[in-house]
């Protein structure tokens, strides 16, 4: 079952002379049960790719947080109740009825975290989740991520490290906003890293 499907997705930051084409015609499919790692140099568009699924600007905080629950089949009223409870738990109840453009970047991030925490996620997005952690804790997080995917979630993991990408079923390489390669798990990923100098 396809959980995530991107077809010819482009994303530009800014406009005019300062426009940055962060993604250019990206195609990506992630199936249930599959963990896909995204690798590539700094600035290649990895975070932009994951942020496509960040807050939806036409929905309030409560609606953003309840959306995945509703997509999982929960009744809207119940989903909204869960969402409000989750926002309260994270200490941002005052954002409940605000739209993303009425929040600071930090507030948007907290709402996004909130959304990642509610319910049983069918799609797990992790942008260098081990960045600020020691290697033991980092491995533990990857193990949890792998487990969630083995249980049927679809996972997208941004990482710099080949040994982290080794947990993935597939590695997608980005360069300048374009998918330049896709490969199987660890060993071939590492050899590709050597040949492309990513
Ligand atoms: N909010 C933003 N405004 C302008 N440019 C941005 C913004 N976010 C990212 N970029 C630019 O888009 C490109 C891709 O960035 P990003 O997706 O963060 O790459 P990565 O996560 O692979 O390092 C870079 O050139 C970066 O400078
Ligand atoms: Mg990034």
């Amino acid at each position: 079952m396809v959980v995530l499907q991107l077809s010819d997705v482009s994303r530009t930051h800014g406009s005019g002379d300062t426009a940055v084409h962060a993604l250019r015609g990206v195609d990506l499919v992630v199936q249930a049960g599959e963990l896909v790692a995204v690798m590539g140099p700094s600035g290649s568009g990895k975070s932009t790719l994951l942020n496509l699924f960040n807050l939806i600007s036409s929905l309030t905080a409560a609606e953003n947080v309840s959306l995945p629950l509703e997509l999982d089949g929960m009744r809207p009223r119940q989903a909204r109740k869960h969402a409000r409870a989750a926002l309260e738990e994270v200490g941002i109840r005052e954002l409940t009825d605000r739209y993303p453009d009425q929040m600071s970047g930090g507030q948007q991030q907290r709402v996004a975290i909130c959304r990642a925490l509610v319910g049983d996620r069918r799609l797990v997005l992790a942008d260098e989740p081990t960045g600020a952690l020691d290697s033991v804790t980092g491995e533990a997080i990857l193990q949890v991520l792998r487990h969630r995917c083995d249980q049927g979630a679809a996972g997208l993991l941004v990482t710099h490290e080949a040994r982290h990408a080794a947990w993935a079923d597939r590695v997608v390489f980005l360069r300048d906003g374009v998918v330049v390669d896709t490969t199987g798990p660890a060993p071939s990923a590492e050899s590709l890293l050597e040949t492309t100098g990513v």
Side-chain angles (χ1 to χ4, degrees), residues 2-138:
V2 174
V3 175
L4 175 70
Q5 178 154 24
L6 303 179
S7 303
D8 195 21
V9 168
S10 296
R11 182 72 172 229
T12 304
H13 295 293
S15 59
D17 287 349
T18 58
V20 176
H21 301 287
L23 293 177
R24 298 183 288 171
V26 169
D27 295 316
L28 181 64
V29 171
V30 186
Q31 307 272 350
E34 190 180 36
L35 178 59
V36 175
V38 181
M39 304 188 81
S42 179
S44 59
K46 305 183 297 297
S47 293
T48 301
L49 181 66
L50 258 70
N51 288 338
L52 289 175
F53 321 111
N54 263 353
L55 301 183
I56 296 170
S57 61
S58 57
L59 301 180
T60 64
E63 289 166 344
N64 263 288
V65 175
S66 66
L67 183 64
L69 296 175
E70 291 182 46
L71 292 177
D72 275 348
M74 192 183 281
R75 287 223 181 113
R77 179 176 290 194
Q78 200 190 354
R80 209 61 60 81
K81 221 162 105 182
H82 276 275
R84 287 174 186 279
L87 288 164
E88 190 154 353
E89 207 175 339
V90 180
I92 48 174
R93 189 172 55 151
E94 72 277 12
L95 303 180
T96 302
D97 297 314
R98 268 196 240 171
Y99 291 90
D101 67 2
Q102 301 170 319
M103 304 173 205
S104 70
Q107 288 175 329
Q108 290 181 14
Q109 224 162 25
R110 286 166 79 180
V111 174
I113 288 170
C114 207
R115 190 176 54 182
L117 293 177
V118 293
D120 254 342
R121 288 282 64 72
R122 245 197 245 173
L123 175 65
V124 186
L125 303 172
D127 194 347
E128 308 197 39
T130 60
L133 306 172
D134 62 78
S135 61
V136 176
T137 317

